Amino acid sequence: PEGAKVRYIYDNDDRLIRVEEEVQVDTLTLERNSAFVRSTSKAREQSDGKELVYSGNYLSLNAGLDLAEPAKGAELILSYPAELMEVFHVSPSENGVTIDTSIPGEIRITASGNLKRGEAPLAYLMFTAKEQVTGTACVTVDKNSTLTKSGGEYLFSDLSGVLMDVCLPDYNGDRLT
């Protein structure tokens, strides 16, 4: 398991005689609670893993959770480059989810109620790449996003986002405009 240190002891004939473990396997448990942003259209993914978005076009994303055990609520803080992208439309995936887009470059998604174990989207997001602007953009989950359980508020163990290239339209496919 993660964090365990194991030392193998051999005799003079290179036979294993003893294994010393600093952390016992059965005493280390790791709950992985993840928050993610994922693209809903993999057709535009490039070989380097980035999404390709032409200026003036739309990009659809899901924001959600993957929980090791049920939780009482969550607050996701998403960041995006407001100089390259605009929020076009957002919608919650279920009741009890509110979305605040009042601050450019930030989206706050708050989920209250019983969140089930496993993977579930919280919100559907649609962005527009601004006209005549190019660059690399990333929609990420902020490290200060929290998960609320019966014992209090916790940070997520894993965060993931979407990396994209915002380009001018490429009419002949040569990556030059």
Side-chain angles (χ1 to χ4, degrees), residues 36-47:
F36 61 82
V37 176
R38 294 188 184 134
S39 174
T40 58
S41 110
K42 292 296 179 188
R44 294 183 299 200
E45 187 173 306
Q46 302 174 94
S47 61

Side-chain angles (χ1 to χ4, degrees), residues 10-78:
Y10 296 90
D11 65 11
N12 291 337
D13 295 325
D14 282 335
R15 292 180 296 207
L16 181 65
I17 58 172
R18 187 170 70 245
V19 176
E20 296 176 357
E21 295 181 12
E22 190 173 309
V23 176
Q24 297 296 325
V25 174
D26 59 347
T27 61
L28 183 65
T29 58
L30 180 64
E31 290 182 1
R32 298 186 88 68
N33 293 307
S34 304
F36 61 82
V37 176
R38 294 188 184 134
S39 174
T40 58
S41 110
K42 292 296 179 188
R44 294 183 299 200
E45 187 173 306
Q46 302 174 94
S47 61
D48 60 2
K50 294 179 188 174
E51 288 284 322
L52 179 62
V53 182
Y54 294 116
S55 69
N57 284 359
Y58 299 101
L59 176 70
S60 297
L61 304 173
N62 284 340
L65 305 173
D66 189 0
L67 302 177
E69 62 181 33
K72 292 183 174 190
E75 181 181 36
L76 298 186
I77 305 165
L78 307 184

